[in-house]
Amino acid sequence: MEFVKVARKDAVAPGKMLVVRVGEHDVVLYNVDGALYASRDFCPHAGYELSKSFFRGKYVRCSLHSWEFDVTNGQNTANAHICLKRYDVKVEGEDVLVSAEPLPKAPPTT
């Protein structure tokens, strides 16, 4: 899998998110207690930018219609069959790298 360097590790503090570009897509990095996760900057409901939304703990809530997602697995909190497009993230030294291709959809946990 190809990875793209997108940021320095200190660019996204715990509890914060950061928009980066991966290929032709905007991707949001989320820092959940020091662990980094990434999803497309796109709510599957109406296409609103998640980077302009509310992020707390491990949840991002779309500001347009309040759809909420667990950024650690991409699943909608009301319907686990609805998921964000997620990307693998790895840290090498101080560099954050994101996979060029989205991860396969995770099976619902509930």
Side-chain angles (χ1 to χ4, degrees):
M1 183 179 301
E2 179 186 351
F3 281 80
V4 178
K5 179 182 169 186
V6 294
R8 302 275 298 163
K9 189 168 71 172
D10 60 1
V12 56
K16 301 295 182 185
M17 56 183 168
L18 175 72
V19 180
V20 296
R21 190 80 174 167
V22 177
E24 297 181 10
H25 300 287
D26 287 331
V27 171
V28 183
L29 289 174
Y30 307 92
N31 188 324
V32 179
D33 297 325
L36 296 174
Y37 300 90
S39 78
R40 188 117 172 256
D41 190 14
F42 181 88
C43 178
H45 176 231
Y48 192 75
E49 297 152 312
L50 293 172
S51 60
K52 295 180 180 176
S53 298
F54 180 74
F55 174 57
R56 185 171 188 179
K58 64 177 188 171
Y59 301 101
V60 63
R61 181 180 306 134
C62 180
S63 294
L64 191 60
H65 293 114
S66 297
W67 278 33
E68 185 176 70
F69 299 89
D70 178 337
V71 300
T72 66
N73 61 23
Q75 294 176 356
N76 181 282
T77 57
N79 182 343
H81 294 279
I82 300 170
C83 294
L84 299 174
K85 282 197 180 198
R86 298 178 309 123
Y87 294 81
D88 198 13
V89 178
K90 65 182 181 178
V91 177
E92 292 181 350
E94 293 300 312
D95 296 328
V96 177
L97 297 97
V98 175
S99 60
E101 295 295 322
L103 292 166
K105 184 178 174 181
T109 56
T110 50

